[in-house]
Amino acid sequence: MASERSVEAMHLLDPNIVRVPEEGSAGPCLLGARCRGCGNVVFPRMPVCPACLRDDAMEEVEIGRSAVLYSHTIARFAPAGFKAPYFQGFVDLPEGPRIFTLIGSGCRVEPGVLHDGMAMRLVVEPLADTPENGSVLTYKYVPDAGAEGQVSHA
Ligand SMILES: [Zn+2]
């Protein structure tokens, strides 16, 4: 890593919403919940199903390794601890939920770089390249170059 910070100093913003498994596995994922009663999937996890209101049927599921970009915008003003401009958007997960996300730092922040409907993949990286958030890891999405190649002949 180019960062001077040690990996040991890195920590997840919220271990209840994202899982980073051991090297060589399927990679990071989000932690959602699926209702055994009606099949509804939510993120983040909830104790009660918002679709059928059962309170004893939600079980943890690993979701969100891939997604489809629903909408995006460039934020020109950053809150404390962030740097502008940066991309933010909503992605649709194949399991059902539409979630808010930041876009990974490997993606140039310029108009035309992202297209709604494009395939995305989950990454885990620092919340922002700032002293306040540089050691705080969270989930983001970036364009899935491999998937783009597969659909570009359409
Ligand atoms: Zn339900």
Side-chain angles (χ1 to χ4, degrees):
M1 275 185 127
S3 171
E4 294 169 13
R5 299 176 196 92
S6 70
V7 172
E8 290 74 29
M10 297 281 202
H11 63 279
L12 282 171
L13 176 65
D14 187 348
N16 293 309
I17 64 170
V18 59
R19 173 173 291 156
V20 182
E22 297 299 314
E23 202 74 20
S25 70
C29 64
L30 302 180
L31 295 175
R34 177 182 287 121
C35 175
R36 285 192 304 273
C38 73
N40 184 45
V41 175
V42 297
F43 175 82
R45 288 176 287 173
M46 302 176 190
V48 176
C49 176
C52 72
L53 304 182
R54 282 184 59 168
D55 64 0
D56 61 348
M58 300 303 279
E59 56 188 6
E60 181 183 290
V61 285
E62 296 187 347
I63 61 173
R65 287 189 172 92
S66 65
V68 173
L69 188 62
Y70 172 72
S71 69
H72 67 284
T73 192
I74 295 176
R76 302 280 180 192
F77 301 93
F82 289 79
K83 281 182 185 170
Y86 61 92
F87 271 125
Q88 60 187 28
F90 282 88
V91 292
D92 288 329
L93 307 185
E95 295 85 1
R98 172 174 293 163
I99 67 170
F100 175 82
T101 188
L102 298 174
I103 303 301
S105 62
C107 191
R108 283 179 297 113
V109 182
E110 296 172 9
V113 171
L114 296 179
H115 305 278
D116 294 342
M118 74 193 305
M120 307 290 280
R121 64 181 174 84
L122 179 72
V123 295
V124 170
E125 66 174 45
L127 190 54
D129 184 21
T130 60
E132 298 93 330
N133 290 317
S135 63
V136 182
L137 297 172
T138 192
Y139 72 87
K140 297 182 182 181
Y141 282 85
V142 294
D144 186 345
E148 283 299 295
Q150 290 164 19
V151 299
S152 64
H153 304 292

